[in-house]
Amino acid sequence: MREETLIPKVGVVTDIRQDTPDVKTFRVVGLDGKKVFEHIPGQCAMLSVPGVGEGMFSITSSPTNTEFMEFSIKKCGCLTSWLHMMEVGQQITIRGPYGNGFPVESALKGKDLLFIAGGIGLAPLRSVINYVRDKKENYGSVHIIYGSRSMDDLVDYKEIIDEWCNDAGVKVDLTIDRPQEGWDGHVGFIPSFVEELSPDLSRTVLICGPPIMIKFTLDGLKKLGFEESQVYTTMELRMKCAIGKCGRCNIGNKYVCKDGPVFRFDQLAELPDEY
Amino acid sequence: MKKISIDRLNELFAAIAASKALYMPVDDGKNGAKYSKWSEGTEYSKAANTKRSAKDFFFPQVEDMAEFNVNGKEIEIIDTREECEEFVVFGVRACDAKSFEILDSVYLVDPVDSYYASRREHGIIMTMACNKPTDTCFCSAFGIDASNPMGDISCWMNDSDLLLSANTEKGQALLDSINILDEADDNAADDTKAAIKAILEKLPLFGLSTEGMKGKTLMEVFNSDKWAELSESCLGCGTCTFVCPTCQCYDIRDYDTGHGVMRYRCWDSCMYSDFTLCAHGNTRTTQLQRFRQRFMHKLVYYPENNGGVFGCVGCGRCLRSCPISMNIVKVMKTLEG
Ligand SMILES: Cc1cc2nc3c(=O)[nH]c(=O)nc-3n(C[C@H](O)[C@H](O)[C@H](O)COP(=O)(O)OP(=O)(O)OC[C@H]3O[C@@H](n4cnc5c(N)ncnc54)[C@H](O)[C@@H]3O)c2cc1C
Ligand code: SF4
Ligand code: SF4
Ligand code: FES
């Protein structure tokens, strides 16, 4: 019988980290203890709990991690609540990798990069950030602007502080929406923070976050002088098959699961704004 | 070309059914026809076409995909796929035969859909030229010739004979295996073809043009101000998508079998409001958007991705079944106007 991508494989959860009140990060390996498949930063996998549902999640770990894959998952419904109740050792199903991923080996090579993330939107970008940090010689400098509702809602806070902030060639700027005790960093929304920081116009930009944040940030970047063709984002639409067949995730004639989820804004500008 | 007297059709059906499951249109008692499995006594229907399309043979309305046994923290995945039976579908019309090509370019491109592919590999399509095309037929708008249908074997029926001609190796092998067929001249079907062509040219929708989409960009058609009036009365019932031979959308769901979990897929419809509902909201909140999606897909998106081939075969099913009499013909005419 032919291989069938719609039939998943078994994945084992080997570690669970509570990142924020509603985000947990899960480590997943196959039954043999190894990575289930290789991926490109920005690609996703379909995870499921049989009888509960299946959902698309960004692979947040970098492909340079040879031992396991990680998923940062926000609790927002049926499947994600179930995933949040899991204990270490729980098996789930996994299939992938899906989507195009970021052009780390082509368009992004040799470039100075600017990452802008809001909330759980850091998940797909973290894969690129750690990939680029592990292959420094291939990329220019890295500037990361990351914000969340509050200090407690910053995903991967420990890794950001312990690793990214101590990495020469990586500049990190954090912000939270409202003042909070114990926070002496920047307070304010991401779009205005980006405008204040007025990043280098030569950078290639990768944005991910809630649609409204992406919209206002893009407007701000354009005001600063960035071109749409310099800015990449990753889209989130309802998905079922993840292979461009079930007809669910299209934006115009593009299927986000297959032709995306990574798009440049000049590509999106030629498509209907149904996202 | 081969032939057999129409008095001996039952012998032909019996010969095919001896080695393969044979399906054909049969009167449904409600002025239409439906595909049924042939057995001794089954009457082949003379209806213009079946109410449901023939896509069920390859893309059934519901099908199981895989089973899961959940035991504590452990999951066992059971591949429930089975090699599909050898089968023949007799009496498929030209439009429906073309619809399989349209589904092929979705399901057979990498990664191949093995469920669909298995049925395609094991199925033989015997088409039948349309002696009685109806007022709702417009296959010719999409370059389909109802007098010369494709499929593995093409058939024509005249007053005395059924004529058969193979188009593929699979079709040839089937014809070769039936020893009650007589030889016929290669032009034996020409009179029938000419007679059908004459009828086709008099159909009310003959000459329906696809100009409404030509020379316009995707965004120009998408932004047309006509969509509002076109979609105004649409109930979002989804009937047009279910009867359509080229509608390909599906949902994947799980059900509890009592001793495990079965994952299955079933047809879905872009006309439904929850089709695109996702964690951060819904990307198509109005019926206008959903209606536009269906017709943009057939008339613009699919052609854009498939070398200009339209995603409609002009079978007319959506014209006959929409409760508010909205349909793709009205959309094409309005977009052109
Ligand atoms: C390309 C892509 C990457 C994603 N990456 C991540 C990630 O890294 N981390 C993360 O936490 N989330 C991610 N998501 C979102 C995640 O898929 C949904 O939050 C999840 O499937 C919701 O499932 P649920 O059963 O918990 O919600 P439900 O109980 O189904 O309900 C919550 C809401 O989510 C909607 N929903 C259901 N299934 C999906 C689906 N497949 N896609 C989108 N919405 C859905 C429902 O319609 C409902 O409105 C991603 C989605 C996509 C398309
Ligand atoms: S859109 Fe209507 S006429 Fe065209 S193939 Fe589908 S059901 Fe037939
Ligand atoms: S166009 Fe007609 S058949 Fe299709 S969803 Fe609307 S009302 Fe139903
Ligand atoms: S999720 Fe099925 S087409 Fe994209």
Side-chain angles (χ1 to χ4, degrees):
Chain A
M1 198 70 80
R2 207 191 285 273
E3 270 284 299
E4 176 55 68
T5 182
L6 294 174
I7 301 179
K9 299 195 161 56
V10 174
V12 187
V13 176
T14 54
D15 184 63
I16 301 172
R17 179 172 84 225
Q18 181 95 38
D19 257 305
T20 79
D22 58 7
V23 177
K24 282 187 178 180
T25 298
F26 303 90
R27 266 183 206 179
V28 179
V29 296
L31 280 174
D32 58 1
K34 299 198 180 108
K35 264 166 73 165
V36 188
F37 46 75
E38 297 299 325
H39 76 285
I40 300 166
Q43 280 189 313
C44 304
M46 274 290 201
L47 303 182
S48 98
V49 176
V52 180
E54 195 172 39
M56 189 77 136
F57 298 94
S58 303
I59 305 165
T60 186
S61 52
S62 159
T64 47
N65 180 328
T66 54
E67 288 163 35
F68 50 79
M69 279 190 268
E70 279 184 335
F71 299 90
S72 289
I73 296 177
K74 182 170 170 148
K75 183 166 151 180
C76 67
C78 198
L79 170 68
T80 49
S81 298
W82 209 100
L83 293 171
H84 269 244
M85 287 179 339
M86 289 191 302
E87 293 168 5
V88 168
Q90 175 69 47
Q91 296 183 355
I92 56 172
T93 78
I94 178 166
R95 58 186 178 94
Y98 296 125
N100 55 356
F102 286 97
V104 285
E105 293 305 323
S106 49
L108 300 187
K109 239 179 170 168
K111 298 278 166 39
D112 291 325
L113 302 172
L114 168 61
F115 296 90
I116 306 174
I120 185 72
L122 187 65
L125 297 189
R126 177 175 171 244
S127 180
V128 196
I129 291 171
N130 284 333
Y131 183 84
V132 167
R133 292 200 317 120
D134 285 339
K135 294 183 178 268
K136 270 200 184 66
E137 63 284 4
N138 293 339
Y139 303 91
S141 69
V142 170
H143 185 185
I144 300 164
I145 304 174
Y146 178 43
S148 257
R149 269 173 307 180
S150 76
M151 214 174 125
D152 312 309
D153 290 297
L154 291 166
V155 181
D156 302 305
Y157 190 56
K158 203 169 150 12
E159 179 171 315
I160 296 171
I161 300 299
D162 294 350
E163 298 183 32
W164 300 357
C165 288
N166 291 324
D167 194 337
V170 177
K171 177 169 176 308
V172 182
D173 286 300
L174 300 176
T175 184
I176 60 174
D177 290 355
R178 271 171 287 280
Q180 190 180 357
E181 215 167 302
W183 178 259
D184 54 10
H186 186 274
V187 175
F189 294 115
I190 297 165
S192 51
F193 190 35
V194 170
E195 283 186 61
E196 270 171 51
L197 289 167
S198 184
D200 236 330
L201 287 183
S202 65
R203 287 183 187 274
T204 301
V205 189
L206 295 79
I207 307 188
C208 188
I212 190 82
M213 168 232 139
I214 296 184
K215 188 182 172 306
F216 286 118
T217 308
L218 180 71
D219 289 347
L221 287 170
K222 288 206 279 198
K223 238 193 300 172
L224 290 171
F226 283 88
E227 300 287 336
E228 283 185 337
S229 56
Q230 257 178 288
V231 188
Y232 292 82
T233 190
T234 161
M235 310 296 295
E236 192 183 314
L237 270 80
R238 186 72 187 273
M239 293 184 183
K240 285 283 176 178
C241 71
I243 48 174
K245 300 194 198 287
C246 78
R248 194 167 303 262
C249 69
N250 71 301
I251 303 177
N253 66 324
K254 303 285 181 217
Y255 287 104
V256 173
C257 63
K258 177 175 104 210
D259 305 311
V262 175
F263 291 95
R264 271 193 338 254
F265 277 100
D266 59 321
Q267 295 169 325
L268 287 174
E270 288 170 10
L271 296 170
D273 64 347
E274 285 185 328
Y275 45 83
Chain B
M1 193 167 287
K2 302 268 184 183
K3 68 174 179 184
I4 187 164
S5 154
I6 50 175
D7 305 332
R8 298 178 64 197
L9 271 188
N10 262 320
E11 285 174 55
L12 170 68
F13 296 153
I16 298 171
S19 65
K20 295 175 170 60
L22 171 64
Y23 299 86
M24 66 181 65
V26 172
D27 284 340
D28 65 0
K30 287 176 268 180
N31 293 321
K34 61 172 200 276
Y35 282 99
S36 298
K37 192 165 181 173
W38 182 88
S39 59
E40 202 58 60
T42 303
E43 285 276 335
Y44 168 60
S45 168
K46 301 275 182 311
N49 206 344
T50 51
K51 281 184 186 158
R52 282 174 77 121
S53 83
K55 75 176 169 186
D56 292 67
F57 287 109
F58 305 107
F59 175 42
Q61 186 163 4
V62 182
E63 76 184 302
D64 289 341
M65 304 183 81
E67 201 177 344
F68 303 88
N69 278 332
V70 183
N71 195 345
K73 286 183 175 176
E74 286 172 17
I75 297 173
E76 183 196 1
I77 301 173
I78 302 156
D79 188 343
T80 52
R81 290 177 299 166
E82 280 170 11
E83 226 24 88
C84 130
E85 61 172 2
E86 296 285 330
F87 66 99
V88 175
V89 189
F90 178 85
V92 175
R93 297 301 189 189
C95 52
D96 288 344
K98 176 75 181 176
S99 78
F100 305 142
E101 285 174 33
I102 290 171
L103 295 178
D104 284 353
S105 64
V106 175
Y107 290 129
L108 297 185
V109 295
D110 193 46
V112 172
D113 185 294
S114 64
Y115 306 91
Y116 178 86
S118 160
R119 295 199 180 85
R120 280 297 266 148
E121 280 156 18
H122 292 88
I124 298 178
I125 304 297
M126 296 179 74
T127 55
M128 177 67 81
C130 294
N131 293 47
K132 273 192 284 180
T134 69
D135 286 359
T136 49
C137 293
F138 56 105
C139 60
S140 50
F142 302 110
I144 297 165
D145 184 355
S147 73
N148 198 16
M150 287 298 128
D152 296 300
I153 298 170
S154 308
C155 302
W156 295 264
M157 200 142 17
N158 59 30
D159 293 339
S160 57
D161 293 315
L162 175 76
L163 300 157
L164 310 97
S165 166
N167 305 313
T168 64
E169 271 176 38
K170 241 181 355 182
Q172 190 61 53
L174 178 63
L175 286 191
D176 291 347
S177 73
I178 302 169
N179 56 18
I180 54 170
L181 298 175
D182 300 318
E183 287 301 325
D185 277 353
D186 275 349
N187 54 9
D190 287 3
D191 290 348
T192 311
K193 287 184 195 172
I196 294 173
K197 282 212 166 87
I199 307 174
L200 288 171
E201 282 166 23
K202 292 199 196 76
L203 292 179
L205 296 178
F206 186 80
L208 177 73
S209 110
T210 52
E211 289 300 311
M213 281 69 60
K214 293 237 174 79
K216 285 192 197 141
T217 65
L218 182 154
M219 288 307 282
E220 278 167 348
V221 188
F222 184 90
N223 287 326
S224 163
D225 55 11
K226 309 276 175 51
W227 293 112
E229 63 169 275
L230 282 167
S231 63
E232 199 172 59
S233 320
C234 174
L235 308 168
C237 66
T239 304
C240 51
T241 54
F242 286 99
V243 297
C244 178
T246 67
C247 271
Q248 107 230 353
C249 294
Y250 63 79
D251 194 3
I252 299 177
R253 287 169 177 271
D254 289 354
Y255 72 89
D256 191 338
T257 61
H259 43 81
V261 171
M262 185 62 86
R263 184 154 296 168
Y264 68 102
R265 73 165 157 204
C266 53
W267 296 349
D268 205 345
S269 172
C270 60
M271 286 293 202
Y272 292 158
S273 59
D274 60 358
F275 188 69
T276 48
L277 186 64
C278 74
H280 60 75
N282 197 338
T283 47
R284 292 189 204 113
T285 50
T286 64
Q287 197 57 30
L288 184 157
Q289 291 175 305
R290 300 189 274 270
F291 181 95
R292 178 172 54 190
Q293 163 62 23
R294 175 161 198 272
F295 296 103
M296 284 296 287
H297 186 207
K298 302 269 181 249
L299 300 171
V300 181
Y301 303 155
Y302 184 88
E304 189 93 18
N305 293 341
N306 294 280
V309 175
F310 287 97
C312 169
V313 295
C315 72
R317 286 189 180 85
C318 62
L319 282 69
R320 296 188 289 274
S321 57
C322 174
I324 57 139
S325 298
M326 181 35 75
N327 57 63
I328 195 159
V329 170
K330 287 189 183 165
V331 171
M332 288 165 70
K333 286 183 171 167
T334 308
L335 286 177
E336 194 185 5

